[in-house]
Amino acid sequence: MTTTTPLDLTTDLTTLTARLCDLASVSGDERALADAIEQALRAYPHLEVLRDGDAVVARTRLGRASRVVVAGHIDTVPVAGNLPTRLEGTGDDAVLWGRGTVDMKGGVAVQLALAAALSEPTRDVTWVFYDHEEVDAALNGLGRIAREHPDWLAADFAVLCEPTDAGLEGGCNGTLRAQVRVPGVAAHSARAWTGVNAIHAAAPVLARLAAYEPAAVEVDGLVYREGLNAVLIEGGVATNVIPDRCVVTVNYRFAPSRSVEEAAEHVRDLLGGYDVVVTDSAAGARPGLDDPAAAEFAAAVLGVTGGAPAPKYGWTDVARFSELGVPAVNFGPGDPLLAHKDDEHLPVAQLQLCHDALRAWLTA
C-alpha cells in the first residue's frame, strides 16, 4: 500500500470532494486513491473491507432483510490543467471547480461519508469503489468484480452515483460502435482516373448518417433519445496517392428496448451495401422503476430532492447490474453535461442534497 495523507471521512463534503479530486486518479493510475479509500474505510469496525486490484468494497453484515449496493468509480479522464480544485463562492452558491468534481468524485465523497456514518442502516449496504470506468469496457473494475467475485455484488437493488444533477435517472441507453469499410483502388493522384477514391466513395455513407432521424423510444414510462453518428473517419496513405481504403466509425446509442443484435441489424439496414463490422457494444438497461425496491428508493429520494424520474441517455454501469438481475438506477451530484469538460464544476449544495436523500433512504 502506498503512503498518502489519510482521508478524513468525517469532514465536510466539499472538503472531502476536493481531497478526492486533488488525489489525481486518471484511469490506470488509481492505486494511490484506492489505497487511501481502503485505509480510511478499515478504520470503521461496522464495515468488512475487501480489495480486488484497485477496486475497494466495504459492506455491512447486520442480517437485514435486504441488501443494496451503492457504487461509484474512482478514476477520471485525463487532467487538462483543471487540478488542483478551487472553490468559488460561499454557502449555497459555492461551486467547486476541477477534474472529477462531476464525474464522479462528488458522488464518491457522498458514498464515503455515508459508509463511515451509517453503522446501523435499515438495509445491509455494500459500498463499491471501482477502477477503470473511463476506458475500454474490458478493463472496467466493476465488470472484473462481477466476473471474479459475483457474490460481492449480490443485492436486491443498486444505486450508481453517476452525475444526474441530483435527479433520479432510470436505466440507460445501449451503445454500439461499428466500422463502415469502403474500398477503393490506389493510384497516383496525377492520374486519378486510373484508381477509385475510397474517401470520395464514402460520401453516401456520410449522407445517410446526416439524413438519419434518431428515434425517441418510450420504455417503461421513460422516453430515451437515440443517436447514430459518424465519430471517426480515416483513409489515405500519402498526399499524392488516391486512397484505396476509407473507414467511417459510427456510434449508435440505442434505447434499452433493443438488444445488441437488434441494434447491429438496424445499423446494417441503414448502411446496406457497405461492409459494416461491429467492433464494440454494450446492452442498455431498462428503467426497472416498477420493481418494489426501486419504487421504495424513488419515494424516499424524491421526497427529499423533488422532481420525477428521467431516462439516462448515456451508457452507465447500471447495465452491468441489470445483467446480474439486480435493478439499478443512477443518482448523484453534478450536471452530466459537464462530465469530461475542461470547465468541469459542481454546485456544492448538490453534495448535501444527495447525501441527505441517500441517508433518508438507508435509514427509513
Side-chain angles (χ1 to χ4, degrees):
M1 184 179 293
T2 57
T3 301
T4 188
T5 304
L7 292 174
D8 180 2
L9 304 189
T10 65
T11 191
D12 65 275
L13 290 167
T14 303
T15 300
L16 180 56
T17 301
R19 178 81 178 93
L20 294 172
C21 293
D22 291 337
L23 221 172
S25 57
V26 174
S27 303
D29 193 25
E30 300 98 327
R31 180 60 51 85
L33 181 54
D35 288 348
I37 288 173
E38 179 185 8
Q39 180 184 21
L41 292 172
R42 287 195 182 280
Y44 294 89
H46 65 275
L47 295 172
E48 175 191 23
V49 180
L50 307 165
R51 178 85 178 248
D52 180 278
D54 289 332
V56 180
V57 173
R59 58 188 181 186
T60 62
R61 287 188 171 276
L62 302 171
R64 302 300 196 222
S66 66
R67 175 173 292 277
V68 298
V69 171
V70 183
H73 65 85
I74 63 172
D75 61 320
T76 70
V77 296
V79 177
N82 47 7
L83 284 181
T85 53
R86 71 180 193 275
L87 183 65
E88 294 185 353
T90 59
D92 291 342
D93 296 324
V95 176
L96 185 66
W97 293 75
R99 173 66 76 226
T101 52
V102 171
D103 193 12
M104 56 166 290
K105 291 181 179 177
V108 171
V110 170
Q111 288 181 254
L112 287 169
L114 288 170
L118 298 182
S119 59
E120 292 285 337
T122 54
R123 300 160 173 81
D124 269 313
V125 187
T126 301
W127 305 94
V128 181
F129 308 88
Y130 62 99
D131 57 294
H132 284 89
E133 191 272 348
E134 299 288 8
V135 288
D136 193 301
L139 300 174
N140 186 290
L142 190 66
R144 186 180 67 250
I145 292 173
R147 292 190 301 272
E148 300 179 8
H149 308 283
D151 57 303
W152 292 7
L153 301 180
D156 302 294
F157 182 67
V159 178
L160 195 66
C161 292
E162 285 276 5
T164 63
D165 229 7
L168 171 57
E169 294 184 342
C172 68
N173 274 339
T175 182
L176 178 145
R177 292 177 183 84
Q179 291 183 342
V180 187
R181 300 172 180 176
V182 182
V185 177
H188 195 296
S189 61
R191 293 174 289 279
W193 62 88
T194 66
V196 177
N197 193 311
I199 293 177
H200 293 179
V205 172
L206 299 177
R208 292 187 200 180
L209 292 170
Y212 179 79
E213 295 186 5
V217 183
E218 183 173 338
V219 182
D220 300 341
L222 300 182
V223 178
Y224 293 81
R225 295 177 60 183
E226 296 193 328
L228 177 56
N229 294 279
V231 292
L232 291 172
I233 188 166
E234 57 178 317
V237 294
T239 58
N240 61 351
V241 177
I242 297 301
D244 63 352
R245 176 178 177 270
C246 182
V247 177
V248 180
T249 299
V250 300
N251 182 206
Y252 181 31
R253 299 293 178 139
F254 54 94
S257 53
R258 291 187 193 265
S259 67
V260 167
E261 293 74 19
E262 290 169 337
E265 189 63 28
H266 180 69
V267 174
R268 292 191 182 100
D269 286 345
L270 178 71
L271 300 173
Y274 291 93
D275 181 18
V276 178
V277 179
V278 175
T279 58
D280 183 39
S281 62
R286 300 181 75 94
L289 295 176
D290 54 349
D291 182 90
E296 288 182 9
F297 176 82
V301 166
L302 296 178
V304 175
T305 63
K312 170 62 78 176
Y313 295 130
W315 188 91
T316 73
D317 280 311
V318 295
R320 296 188 187 278
F321 287 109
S322 181
E323 289 179 356
L324 294 171
V326 179
V329 297
N330 305 279
F331 177 72
D335 182 349
L337 296 179
L338 293 173
H340 301 187
K341 294 179 72 69
D342 291 351
D343 63 346
E344 190 173 348
H345 59 278
L346 172 71
V348 298
Q350 286 193 7
L351 292 170
Q352 194 65 49
L353 183 63
C354 290
H355 174 279
D356 293 348
L358 287 173
R359 185 184 181 94
W361 170 57
L362 292 171
T363 59

